[in-house]
């Protein structure tokens, strides 16, 4: 009952001090809300296991050169996948995924065809993950063999959206890329594939090959019972050694199994943990601020506590009362913060890049509520204990005999302000480093002119375009139509798009220079003659592709990096290359031109050697079935897309276009992860700066109130207002300077955790430190000036009479 009584008394006192309560609750709500929001993200993405049965047995399967320690992981070829599936007993299941058809044309539903996100998978895909459809069945063994009936499993969302949620949809035909597929199953509503999401999963039918490249299959496996990841890696190494013996010139000689969760969340874990650490600092600053407020409030209540002690209350009884008050305050702040995190999670997911894994699993649940409650209780105890001990430290007689209320906890309050400033400077430095890094990244010359360029995706179904000549004719006619449209300056097609949509790499060698060991890799793009001009790339020497580069024309364009690296001091035009596995008697391709470097693997990636091949030549039309269309025009992207859609429909009404983006949008998407972490850290640093300055302001305002009589005496003796202002500003700036110095040193020691996230700047970037210090000092100057100015306006007579 006594605790209930303490709670009632505490609520009454908090209601009486509504200004203090409001500031403290909002401060705590900011810290706890931000930390709960980040905790929900980290918990869902990093901490929780994957949502499959026995997720610790799931692995990704890769090719890897043992000489590189397994660091360079590469997708599997068809023969490598078949070897892993059939000859590695350490893996109970192995499945392959092809993203080559990501965004397939679907028809047969009674309306216009549309493009849907799709992943072609082998028969063991759902068995490997340990999940089965909610309706119908998964793929049967043998359905992924060439010649078997084509089948497809659809997502719950697609079933609802396009099939009306009809259970009889199982067994219907869905026409995918012109080929009828029988719908055999509908996945549960909560099913999410481990990598990219998809709406449909057509069966991927594979057959043995007499060549190892291309390396195009993403593979996952499930460990056999009792098998470790290391044992699976050894089994893959044996199987791939047999493949290597069949194809001795291929560059990849080993295999590696990687924990699937690490594969999915590993790339984002450092960033999310960093952001969680940053928001933890913000929470500490918020709690420190409230502790400072509570110390000031406790100093004002010393007489009240002394009277209660004189009437028989023990020190423990008074401490308990103060702790209960602060726990109530923390509880209210925590409740408001957790409620705010409901909105915060939605806002966070809205800001997050599309590449963030497991984003659909992020929400406020019981774990987040427990986290918020725990943080609230801990904060209440921590910021409540110091004021409680401070407020009851003196005997009742000493307190009552004092002529004025002591400035309780002065040293402690000043120390807390220094801590706040130091932590804020650390966040400011981190935010400055990421902001300068992001600025450098956005300033990278990607080798293209993103202005007035619309891009879109076109895919020709194999059923209707088996003949390479038919593919060539369609694209030729489409490009001719587009180039004649009013406002179109250039148009072309290409297999990849800058700055980050690279589709293929291929080994190559210079004619007459057989590779020693593994041959180098080059980005390889199948393009039309107008593609590079539409991007705004430049010709350095030689010529562009033209209409004569078709049929048996064995010609390539190379970028400046390849020319400089492999033909130093020479003119590469006229030289010949061997692409694919090196064959001393194989075909050679002649370099006809050198073009400027264009980035296809990300603005932050090093520029790689790049080969361009004409889509009309030899076998390349078969690689041109799915292509990106690039149109340079000052017209709005929607108008360009509508025009392309109309011209394409005039040639083949069954072909839709998809992924309509401007090149500017693609640049924005490519740097979305960097923008996300930079924006969040800047927001956290800004909030920390506000809280720290509020704390400094509160300390000086309390100091002014405590020293009113002293100020009055100074003014009566002739002190000028400027001297009084300077007195309090200097007091605040001394604390700020100490906090800034500590913060800069701590930031220099801890900033190395940012090293892997920076581009174009180092962790010792002097401007970032100088700006952080300048921002902290300038803001502190404003926070100090307001109470100092108020002190300078004290009427000496009023101050003396008040005392």
């Amino acid at each position: 009952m006594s605790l209930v009584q303490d709670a009632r008394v505490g609520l009454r006192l908090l209601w009486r001090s509504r200004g203090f309560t409001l500031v403290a609750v909002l401060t705590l709500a900011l810290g706890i809300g931000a930390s709960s929001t980040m905790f929900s993200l980290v918990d869902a993405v990093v901490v929780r296991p994957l949502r499959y049965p026995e997720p610790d047995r799931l692995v990704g399967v890769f090719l890897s050169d043992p000489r590189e320690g397994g660091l360079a992981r590469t997708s599997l070829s068809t023969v490598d996948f078949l070897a892993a599936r059939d000859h590695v007993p350490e893996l109970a299941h192995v499945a392959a995924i092809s993203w080559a058809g990501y965004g397939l044309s679907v028809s047969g539903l009674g309306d216009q065809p549309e493009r849907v996100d799709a992943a072609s998978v082998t028969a063991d895909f759902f068995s490997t993950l340990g999940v089965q459809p909610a309706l119908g069945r998964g793929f049967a063994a043998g359905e992924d063999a060439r010649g078997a009936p084509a089948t497809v499993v659809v997502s719950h969302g697609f079933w609802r959206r396009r099939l009306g949620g009809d259970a009889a949809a199982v067994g219907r035909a869905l026409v995918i890329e012109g080929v009828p597929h029988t719908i055999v199953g509908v996945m549960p509503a909560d099913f999410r594939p481990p990598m990219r999401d998809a709406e449909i999963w057509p069966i991927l039918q594979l057959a043995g090959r007499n060549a190892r490249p291309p390396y195009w299959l993403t593979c996952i496996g499930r460990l056999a019972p009792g098998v470790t990841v290391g044992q699976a890696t050894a089994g893959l190494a044996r199987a791939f050694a047999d493949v290597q013996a069949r194809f001795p010139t291929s560059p990849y000689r080993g295999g590696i199994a990687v924990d699937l969760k690490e594969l999915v969340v590993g790339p984002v874990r450092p960033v999310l943990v960093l952001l969680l650490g940053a928001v933890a600092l913000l929470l500490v600053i918020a709690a420190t601020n409230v502790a400072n407020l509570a110390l000031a409030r406790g100093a004002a209540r010393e007489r009240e506590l002394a009277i209660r002690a004189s009437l028989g209350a023990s020190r423990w009884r008074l401490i308990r009362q103060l702790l209960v008050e602060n726990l109530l305050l923390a509880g209210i702040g925590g409740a408001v913060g957790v409620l705010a995190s409901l909105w915060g999670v939605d806002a966070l997911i809205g800001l997050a890049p599309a590449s963030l894994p497991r984003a659909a699993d992020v929400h406020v649940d019981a774990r987040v509520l427990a986290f918020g409650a725990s943080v609230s209780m801990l904060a209440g105890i921590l910021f409540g204990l110091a004021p409680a001990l401070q407020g009851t430290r003196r005997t009742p007689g000493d307190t009552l005999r004092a002529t004025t209320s002591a400035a309780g906890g002065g040293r402690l309050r000043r120390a807390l302000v220094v801590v706040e400033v130091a932590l804020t400077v650390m966040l400011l430095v981190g935010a400055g480093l990421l902001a300068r890094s992001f600025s450098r990244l956005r300033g990278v010359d990607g080798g293209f002119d993103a202005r007035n360029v619309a891009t879109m995706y076109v895919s020709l179904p194999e059923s209707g375009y088996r003949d390479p000549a038919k593919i060539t004719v369609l694209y030729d006619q489409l490009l001719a139509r587009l180039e004649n449209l009013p406002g179109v300056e250039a148009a072309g097609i290409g297999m990849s798009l800058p700055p980050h949509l690279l589709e293929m790499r291929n080994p190559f060698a210079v004619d007459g220079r057989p590779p020693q060991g593994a041959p180098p890799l080059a980005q390889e793009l199948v393009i039309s003659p107008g593609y590079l001009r539409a991007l705004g790339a430049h010709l350095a020497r030689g010529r562009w592709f033209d209409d004569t580069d078709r049929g048996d024309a064995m010609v390539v364009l190379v970028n400046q990096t390849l020319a400089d690296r492999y033909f130093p001091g020479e003119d590469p035009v006229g030289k010949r290359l061997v692409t694919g596995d090196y064959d001393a008697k194989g075909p050679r391709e002649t370099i006809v031109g050198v073009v400027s470097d264009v980035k296809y693997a990300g603005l932050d990636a090093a520029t790689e050697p790049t080969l361009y091949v004409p889509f009309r030549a030899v076998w390349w039309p078969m690689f041109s079935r799915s292509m990106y269309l690039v149109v340079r025009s000052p017209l709005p992207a929607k108008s360009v897309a509508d025009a392309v859609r109309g011209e394409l429909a005039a040639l083949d009404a069954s072909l839709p276009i998809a992924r309509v983006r401007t090149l500017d949008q693609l640049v924005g998407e490519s740097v979305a992860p960097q923008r996300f972490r930079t924006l969040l850290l800047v927001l956290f640093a800004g909030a920390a700066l506000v809280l720290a300055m509020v704390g400094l302001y509160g300390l000086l305002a309390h100091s002014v109130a405590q020293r009113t009589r002293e100020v009055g005496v100074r003014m009566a003796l002739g002190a000028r207002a400027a001297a009084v202002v300077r007195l309090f500003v200097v007091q605040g700036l001394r604390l700020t300077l100490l906090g800034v110095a500590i913060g800069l040193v701590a930031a220099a020691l801890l900033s190395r955790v940012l090293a892997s996230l920076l581009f174009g700047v180092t962790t010792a970037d002097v401007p970032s430190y100088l700006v952080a210090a300048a921002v902290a000092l300038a803001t502190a100057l404003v926070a100090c000036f307001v109470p100092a100015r108020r002190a300078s306006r004290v009427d000496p007579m009023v101050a003396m009479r008040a005392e």
Side-chain angles (χ1 to χ4, degrees):
M1 288 299 293
S2 58
L3 285 176
V4 174
Q5 184 180 2
D6 287 344
R8 289 175 179 171
V9 172
L11 287 173
R12 283 200 301 269
L13 291 172
L14 291 176
W15 177 252
R16 248 181 239 168
S17 307
R18 288 189 287 275
F20 161 80
T21 302
L22 180 62
V23 173
V25 165
L26 291 179
T27 300
L28 282 174
L30 175 61
I32 293 173
S35 58
S36 295
T37 300
M38 278 306 305
F39 173 80
S40 66
L41 180 64
V42 174
D43 181 55
V45 175
V46 177
V47 177
R48 290 178 183 266
L50 298 178
R51 297 175 61 181
Y52 309 111
E54 299 182 282
D56 55 315
R57 290 175 54 198
L58 291 173
V59 294
V61 177
F62 297 92
L63 288 167
S64 182
D65 191 333
R67 295 169 299 181
E68 299 180 2
L71 298 177
R73 302 168 187 168
T74 307
S75 300
L76 272 62
S77 67
T78 300
V79 292
D80 291 306
F81 163 69
L82 295 176
R85 186 191 68 180
D86 299 335
H87 302 294
V88 182
E90 291 85 354
L91 296 174
H93 299 277
V94 182
I97 310 165
S98 169
W99 305 112
Y102 194 69
L104 296 174
S105 175
V106 172
S107 58
L109 299 176
D111 53 8
Q112 291 296 316
E114 69 167 318
R115 302 210 70 81
V116 302
D117 291 339
S120 299
V121 298
T122 53
D124 243 5
F125 178 69
F126 297 109
S127 300
T128 300
L129 294 176
V131 295
Q132 289 301 318
L135 290 176
R137 63 171 177 85
F139 296 119
E143 283 185 337
D144 54 3
R146 282 291 175 89
T151 53
V152 62
V153 173
V154 302
S155 70
H156 188 272
F158 183 86
W159 176 64
R160 286 284 187 190
R161 180 174 66 86
R162 294 304 311 271
L163 301 172
D166 184 3
V170 175
R172 287 179 56 183
L174 197 64
V175 180
I176 303 173
E177 298 294 312
V179 178
H181 286 61
T182 302
I183 300 172
V184 296
V186 179
M187 294 307 294
D190 61 349
F191 172 72
R192 297 288 183 277
M195 298 166 192
R196 299 188 201 178
D197 206 353
E199 290 194 272
I200 60 173
W201 294 273
I203 192 69
L204 175 62
Q205 297 180 339
L206 301 173
R209 287 174 49 85
N210 57 5
R212 197 172 189 182
Y215 305 95
W216 63 298
L217 296 174
T218 300
C219 294
I220 59 174
R222 178 172 285 273
L223 300 176
V227 173
T228 65
V229 174
Q231 290 170 332
T233 294
L236 290 169
R238 291 193 303 270
F240 294 157
D242 292 340
V243 175
Q244 181 67 37
R246 292 169 53 197
F247 305 97
T249 60
S250 58
Y252 303 104
R253 295 176 174 80
I256 186 171
V258 181
D259 178 75
L260 188 60
K261 182 183 175 184
E262 178 63 25
L263 181 65
V264 172
V265 307
V268 301
R269 180 188 288 113
V271 173
L272 295 185
V273 172
L274 168 70
L275 293 175
L276 185 62
V279 84
L281 292 182
L282 178 62
L283 178 61
V284 171
I285 292 171
T288 303
N289 214 335
V290 175
N292 230 331
L293 292 171
L295 280 170
R297 183 168 177 261
R301 294 178 62 190
E302 282 192 359
R303 284 180 177 274
E304 170 206 334
L305 297 175
I307 292 173
R308 292 179 63 184
S310 299
L311 295 176
S314 66
R315 190 185 184 199
W316 162 243
R317 180 71 180 78
L318 297 176
I319 291 174
R320 189 182 71 185
Q321 173 65 53
L322 294 174
L323 280 176
V324 168
E325 289 180 30
N326 286 292
L327 285 172
L328 286 171
L329 188 66
I332 297 170
V336 174
V338 171
L339 287 175
S341 70
L342 293 172
W343 169 84
V345 165
D346 291 337
L348 192 64
I349 296 303
L351 291 172
S355 58
L356 180 70
R358 311 183 71 188
D361 296 336
V362 181
H363 57 275
V364 176
D365 56 11
R367 289 161 68 102
V368 179
L369 294 177
F371 173 82
S374 302
V375 170
S376 300
M377 294 294 291
L378 182 61
I381 293 172
L382 291 179
F383 72 68
L385 191 59
L389 295 175
Q390 188 72 38
T392 60
R393 75 193 190 289
R394 296 195 295 178
T395 65
D398 290 340
T399 303
L400 293 173
R401 282 193 295 271
T403 58
T404 183
S405 180
R411 289 184 179 177
L412 180 57
R413 294 194 66 204
R414 289 191 291 272
L416 291 177
V417 167
V418 171
V419 169
E420 285 187 72
V421 173
L423 294 178
T424 299
V425 169
M426 291 172 60
L427 287 176
L428 286 172
V429 170
L433 289 171
L434 287 184
R436 280 178 55 79
S437 172
F438 182 68
S439 177
R440 293 284 180 88
L441 182 62
R442 286 305 306 262
V444 168
D445 180 6
F448 53 89
D449 181 1
R451 296 169 298 177
N452 300 327
V453 177
T455 70
M456 56 213 77
Y457 185 75
V458 179
S459 183
L460 312 182
E462 184 176 358
S463 59
Y465 292 87
R466 295 183 186 277
D467 183 2
K470 192 172 182 180
I471 297 173
T472 301
V473 168
L474 179 94
Y475 282 132
D476 278 342
Q477 292 177 341
L478 176 61
L479 292 174
R481 285 170 173 263
L482 295 181
E483 288 170 348
N484 289 325
L485 287 176
V488 172
E489 299 171 4
I493 57 170
M495 178 183 286
S496 300
L497 271 182
H500 67 300
L501 298 180
L502 177 67
E503 296 291 342
M504 184 171 71
R505 288 184 176 89
N506 207 11
F508 75 97
V510 177
D511 186 27
R513 306 179 202 168
Q516 303 300 315
L521 292 175
Q523 300 173 149
E524 189 157 24
L525 280 75
V526 183
I527 65 171
S528 71
Y531 172 81
L532 289 169
R533 290 194 292 273
L535 287 181
H538 305 291
L539 183 68
R541 59 172 65 92
R543 67 172 178 87
W544 298 107
F545 290 144
D546 57 33
D547 288 340
T548 65
D549 297 318
R550 61 176 67 239
D552 59 358
M554 301 292 289
V555 295
V556 294
L557 295 173
V558 300
N559 71 338
Q560 192 68 55
T561 293
L562 189 149
D564 293 342
R565 188 175 302 175
Y566 296 97
F567 300 97
E570 302 178 63
D571 183 358
V573 175
K575 301 295 195 319
R576 299 193 303 170
L577 300 176
V578 181
T579 59
D581 289 345
Y582 184 80
D583 184 349
K585 298 182 180 180
R588 268 55 176 160
E589 295 167 276
T590 302
I591 299 172
V592 296
V594 178
V595 300
S596 57
D597 290 332
V598 178
K599 288 181 175 289
Y600 297 98
L603 293 177
D604 56 349
T607 303
E608 299 181 50
T610 305
L611 297 169
Y612 298 94
V613 294
F615 84 98
R616 300 177 177 126
V618 197
W619 60 84
W620 290 116
M622 302 308 296
F623 285 81
S624 306
R625 192 169 284 117
S626 296
M627 298 289 274
Y628 292 102
L629 184 64
V630 182
V631 180
R632 178 170 293 279
S633 170
L635 299 175
K638 184 178 183 306
S639 299
V640 174
D642 289 342
V644 171
R645 194 176 284 111
E647 297 298 337
L648 187 60
L651 298 171
D652 187 338
S654 69
L655 299 177
I657 63 171
R659 308 181 208 171
V660 178
R661 296 284 192 278
T662 66
L663 201 49
D664 276 324
Q665 286 176 313
L666 287 177
V667 172
E669 291 174 5
S670 76
V671 298
Q674 294 89 336
R675 182 192 300 112
F676 175 67
R677 66 196 185 210
T678 301
L679 178 60
L680 285 187
L681 198 54
V682 168
L683 289 175
F684 295 156
L689 183 64
V690 171
L691 291 178
M693 295 310 114
V694 167
L696 181 60
Y697 171 86
L699 174 68
L700 290 183
H702 185 263
S703 178
V704 168
Q706 292 293 323
R707 299 173 66 180
T708 299
R709 182 174 182 275
E710 174 194 339
V711 171
V713 171
R714 287 174 180 267
M715 299 290 285
L717 293 177
R720 295 182 178 180
V724 174
V725 170
R726 185 166 55 252
L727 172 69
F728 287 101
V729 169
V730 169
Q731 176 186 342
L733 289 182
R734 282 176 180 168
L735 298 177
T736 303
L737 284 170
L738 179 58
V740 167
I742 295 173
L744 290 176
V745 172
L749 295 175
L750 297 177
S751 61
R752 66 190 65 182
V753 302
L754 292 173
S756 63
L757 305 179
L758 300 180
F759 175 82
V761 298
T762 67
T763 56
D765 183 60
V766 174
S768 297
Y769 289 80
L770 293 179
V771 170
V775 168
L777 288 172
T779 312
L781 185 61
V782 175
C784 295
F785 181 77
V786 176
R789 179 66 173 167
R790 185 180 303 154
S792 70
R793 295 178 176 178
V794 170
D795 186 327
M797 297 306 296
V798 173
M800 299 293 287
R801 281 198 300 268
E803 194 59 35

